[in-house]
Amino acid sequence: MSPQDQHGTRRSHPRRPRSRSARLMAAVGAAALMFSAGLATPLNPVPQRAEAAQGKKVLTVAVAQSVDSLSPFLAVRLVSTSILRLTYEYLTDYDPGDAHPVPGLATSWRPSADKLTWTYTIRSDAKWSDGQKVTAGDAAWTFNKLMTDEAAATANGSFVTNFSKVTAPSPTQLVIKLKKPQATMTALDVPIVPKHIWKDVKDFSKFNNDKTFPVVGDGPFVLTDYKADSYVRLQANKSFWRGAPKFDELVFRYYKDQDAAVAALRKGEVSFVAGQPALTPAQAASLKGQKNIHVNEGPGRRFYALATNPGARARNGQKFGDGDPSLLDQRVRNALFMAVDRKTLVDKVFQDHAVEGQGYIPPRFSTYFWKPSSSQELSYDPSKAGQLLDQAGYKKNADGRRVGRDGKPLNYRVLCHATDPNDKAVGQYLKEWWGKLGIGMTLDCLDNVTDPWLAGKYDLAFDGWSVNPDPDFVLSIHTCAALPATPKETGATDNFICDKTYDELYAKQLAEYDPARRADIVKQMESRLYDLGYMNVMAYPNAVEAYRTDQIKTIETMPRAAGNIYGQDGYWSWWSAVPADSGSSSGGSSTGVIVGVVAGVVVLAGAGLFLVMRRRTTADDRE
């Protein structure tokens, strides 16, 4: 959808009740307009000089995605959830080496013999940034709010649907009772919030957590300032239980134009550029070999896909949207995908900074990686694609156009992220390939793909999510339960897919504690999703990013051996970053550089697993 909004990441564009969230979406849209209005303005040198004078070490990250919300109950875009990772602790974290669960807010955890009761020991040395102690009561309140308030469950509700009761018998003991076994209990990617702050929130669908600063949190950084579509500023939490970050401030600065962000890196105005979600091959090539600039590249945790509208519908059975009915025929969907040459896309568009797409989960997550058998694979075969269209009743007329029995020619609208050069480039190839089949195509590139996506007003759309060490979330967004309750609401669905067989497999994997058996079930789900033909995974882009070595001396990648810096399953990169010159502001820059995060609209358990992304790249990054 636009899971790039999503889609990515996942988590990720996910959707919130329109009845409640229509106002929120309108507010986000207004914020986006405000944001874009300031994009042409260069970085203001005044605050930089002021920070230099104060002797602060400031790390500025340029991002190409705008913030959808700073509420941990609503945010789904990768940039937003990455920021929330820095400001709120989870019960457990993922080790940056191999992603196995490590202590976070919880120092230890244990299940009962029947695996239906999980007891977590909450650390006694954690404090909220306002000085109050963090307790198990805060965690219990957070989970209970997700369980009882539909608006609060917008972003992370899938994690608690199997919870029956959550209590805090003592300040250091959290007890979660389940309806049935749940394999994700050491991978609950839910930010724990301070009860004494959030208990006063009246309407969770409207509260974006962006009006009162500093925002009370317990992560390695404290959120101190935010301007829509411009920047997010954070300050090091000196009392963070794991130790304070080395940089005094961290700034995420938005750039709608990725070339401008790269130029800012060259000039030292920012310390790091993440891309959207990666640098283009041309941008990466232009930076390699440049003095004081290091280009980091590793296997990506995202997939890049083309999603087909399966007929938007709600859980109450009502249909909505205007997806082309021809796409309800699996033969038509398969024909479209067999006309896509993935190798050409990897070679020409990604210029080998990606791997050809196959299953739903990227090969970086080897435990869950699946690929179709030779007999199952929808490989590039234009001739067979044409035969399938003929069989489906869409034959060429005298003008070479594919028409149905009603004489109406096939012409598909493809939602495209205006800020993503890959969407535009791939779109031109699709137009050519489908044109040879006799199918017309209109590339609809928008700054905001979220609205038409959620309304089901598209035929196909570029989609993508970042995958987390545990695949549950990214799998959950294709279940029937993720559909909106009614057409007036917005569910957690990525693409309105609802299939009984898939749902049965989803429930089965969630209850399976044996890692090997669970991985096998997940692969069956990927196989089913592939056969349905609604998701064509075209590529797995590498993580390609760059930073200034005269500002950042060292920084942690995830996985440590060869991984990404931006968009990690944790806060390791920014928490670990060491200034290049600890004796001067901003590591080697006399002007006090602010590393800004540039976010763009495009827009997840076992030890050693790197799977599903939480945020989508679809609607506006859904990554």
Side-chain angles (χ1 to χ4, degrees):
M1 297 294 274
S2 171
Q4 282 175 221
D5 213 338
Q6 123 247 246
H7 286 179
T9 181
R10 130 13 90 125
R11 286 175 165 153
S12 311
H13 87 176
R15 332 51 176 117
R16 41 202 68 124
R18 275 195 211 127
S19 52
R20 263 177 290 226
S21 63
R23 294 167 304 201
L24 173 60
M25 294 301 289
V28 171
L33 290 174
M34 292 170 59
F35 185 111
S36 60
L39 290 178
T41 304
L43 299 183
N44 186 348
V46 176
Q48 293 184 31
R49 286 196 294 268
E51 286 161 351
Q54 296 169 10
K56 292 182 179 179
K57 299 178 180 64
V58 184
L59 190 156
T60 303
V61 180
V63 295
Q65 184 181 61
S66 58
V67 170
D68 55 340
S69 175
L70 289 174
S71 165
F73 297 95
L74 299 177
V76 295
R77 292 185 183 173
L78 182 60
V79 64
S80 307
T81 57
S82 295
I83 291 169
L84 292 172
R85 278 269 191 187
L86 299 169
T87 54
Y88 299 102
E89 263 283 27
Y90 295 2
L91 288 181
T92 60
D93 292 319
Y94 299 108
D95 182 85
D98 62 6
H100 73 270
V102 296
L105 187 57
T107 59
S108 62
W109 46 89
R110 68 179 188 279
S112 59
D114 62 4
K115 305 292 180 67
L116 293 178
T117 301
W118 283 72
T119 302
Y120 300 82
T121 298
I122 303 302
R123 64 178 59 258
S124 59
D125 58 346
K127 291 184 179 181
W128 296 110
S129 53
D130 63 0
Q132 293 201 33
K133 287 183 66 66
V134 180
T135 71
D138 294 305
W141 186 89
T142 300
F143 288 120
N144 277 298
K145 177 56 66 174
L146 292 176
M147 295 164 62
T148 58
D149 188 320
E150 189 175 347
T154 296
N156 301 309
S158 64
F159 289 104
V160 303
T161 55
N162 185 43
F163 288 13
S164 64
K165 186 178 183 180
V166 182
T167 59
S170 77
T172 59
Q173 189 177 65
L174 175 72
V175 179
I176 300 177
K177 293 185 179 296
L178 306 173
K179 300 172 186 176
K180 57 186 177 182
Q182 180 170 326
T184 62
M185 298 306 289
T186 57
L188 298 173
D189 293 338
V190 176
I192 303 302
V193 304
K195 175 183 177 180
H196 66 283
I197 299 296
W198 285 82
K199 65 181 177 59
D200 296 324
V201 175
K202 304 301 181 184
D203 188 343
F204 279 72
S205 71
K206 295 191 296 184
F207 185 70
N208 279 317
N209 199 29
D210 59 2
K211 295 295 186 292
T212 303
F213 299 100
V215 173
V216 178
D218 62 343
F221 290 89
V222 178
L223 181 55
T224 59
D225 194 15
Y226 165 66
K227 182 177 180 181
D229 297 335
S230 183
Y231 65 84
V232 177
R233 188 184 300 273
L234 304 102
Q235 181 175 309
N237 182 357
K238 301 301 183 181
S239 62
F240 182 51
W241 69 269
R242 204 186 288 274
K246 310 300 186 299
F247 277 91
D248 300 309
E249 287 189 357
L250 173 63
V251 179
F252 290 88
R253 188 169 295 280
Y254 174 86
Y255 287 82
K256 185 175 182 180
D257 184 337
Q258 191 161 294
D259 284 333
V262 171
L265 181 75
R266 285 198 185 93
K267 291 184 288 185
E269 294 176 344
V270 301
S271 301
F272 179 95
V273 173
Q276 186 196 336
L279 297 177
T280 66
Q283 290 167 343
S286 72
L287 292 173
K288 286 183 178 178
Q290 293 292 306
K291 184 180 180 180
N292 298 325
I293 291 179
H294 174 71
V295 176
N296 179 64
E297 180 166 3
R301 59 188 287 253
R302 298 180 66 85
F303 63 78
Y304 181 80
L306 189 65
T308 303
N309 188 339
R313 50 183 160 169
R315 291 201 304 273
N316 66 1
Q318 287 184 264
K319 297 180 180 179
F320 57 95
D322 59 4
D324 195 300
S326 66
L327 295 172
L328 299 180
D329 191 320
Q330 184 173 335
R331 293 170 296 185
V332 174
R333 299 194 299 270
N334 289 351
L336 291 177
F337 295 164
M338 293 179 78
V340 175
D341 186 349
R342 294 170 176 79
K343 185 177 187 306
T344 291
L345 297 182
V346 169
D347 291 346
K348 303 298 184 181
V349 177
F350 295 97
Q351 296 181 31
D352 295 323
H353 294 281
V355 177
E356 287 184 44
Q358 298 183 83
Y360 189 57
I361 296 173
R364 165 167 161 176
F365 308 108
S366 59
T367 300
Y368 297 113
F369 177 63
W370 169 90
K371 57 183 179 181
S373 63
S374 57
S375 60
Q376 181 184 18
E377 184 178 9
L378 297 173
S379 56
Y380 180 57
D381 192 335
S383 177
K384 188 173 181 179
Q387 294 173 19
L388 285 175
L389 291 170
D390 287 341
Q391 295 170 17
Y394 297 94
K395 299 184 178 181
K396 287 185 176 181
N397 62 14
D399 297 324
R401 298 293 306 278
R402 293 277 176 181
V403 297
R405 295 180 178 85
D406 58 1
K408 181 180 177 181
L410 293 182
N411 188 80
Y412 296 127
R413 301 159 301 164
V414 179
L415 274 179
C416 156
H417 299 86
T419 55
D420 191 338
N422 290 332
D423 283 8
K424 296 175 183 177
V426 172
Q428 294 307 313
Y429 278 102
L430 295 180
K431 182 175 292 188
E432 176 186 346
W433 292 331
W434 291 351
K436 291 179 180 178
L437 284 178
I439 297 174
M441 192 267 269
T442 300
L443 196 59
D444 196 7
C445 294
L446 307 172
D447 286 334
N448 172 23
V449 298
T450 302
D451 289 348
W453 193 307
L454 296 181
K457 295 184 176 181
Y458 66 98
D459 298 322
L460 298 104
F462 289 105
D463 198 352
W465 284 86
S466 293
V467 176
N468 290 355
D470 188 280
D472 179 70
F473 178 84
V474 82
L475 297 173
S476 74
I477 58 180
H478 295 306
T479 61
C480 299
L483 294 174
T486 70
K488 293 183 179 180
E489 299 185 32
T490 304
T493 184
D494 172 50
N495 195 43
F496 303 104
I497 295 173
C498 178
D499 176 70
K500 182 180 179 180
T501 299
Y502 182 89
D503 275 18
E504 291 172 348
L505 290 169
Y506 174 77
K508 193 175 178 181
Q509 66 82 29
L510 185 60
E512 181 56 69
Y513 281 99
D514 181 270
R517 288 198 291 265
R518 185 180 181 220
D520 181 65
I521 299 170
V522 169
K523 291 176 182 178
Q524 292 178 50
M525 296 176 68
E526 294 183 77
S527 178
R528 178 63 179 173
L529 195 59
Y530 184 90
D531 289 342
L532 289 174
Y534 291 116
M535 291 288 292
N536 176 18
V537 177
M538 297 180 288
Y540 309 113
N542 289 350
V544 186
E545 49 203 1
Y547 64 89
R548 293 196 64 91
T549 57
D550 57 348
Q551 296 177 25
I552 301 175
K553 181 178 181 180
T554 60
I555 192 166
E556 184 86 85
T557 61
M558 184 176 184
R560 189 174 292 121
N564 55 292
I565 295 171
Y566 176 71
Q568 294 181 358
D569 289 296
Y571 42 65
W572 310 114
S573 55
W574 313 124
W575 173 73
S576 71
V578 176
D581 181 0
S582 59
S584 66
S585 69
S586 211
S589 172
S590 60
T591 57
V593 173
I594 295 179
V595 181
V597 179
V598 182
V601 185
V602 168
V603 297
L604 287 212
L609 307 181
F610 262 78
L611 272 146
V612 181
M613 149 186 163
R614 248 184 95 54
R615 320 309 168 175
R616 350 174 353 167
T617 319
T618 277
D620 262 25
D621 167 47
R622 283 157 78 162
E623 93 138 287

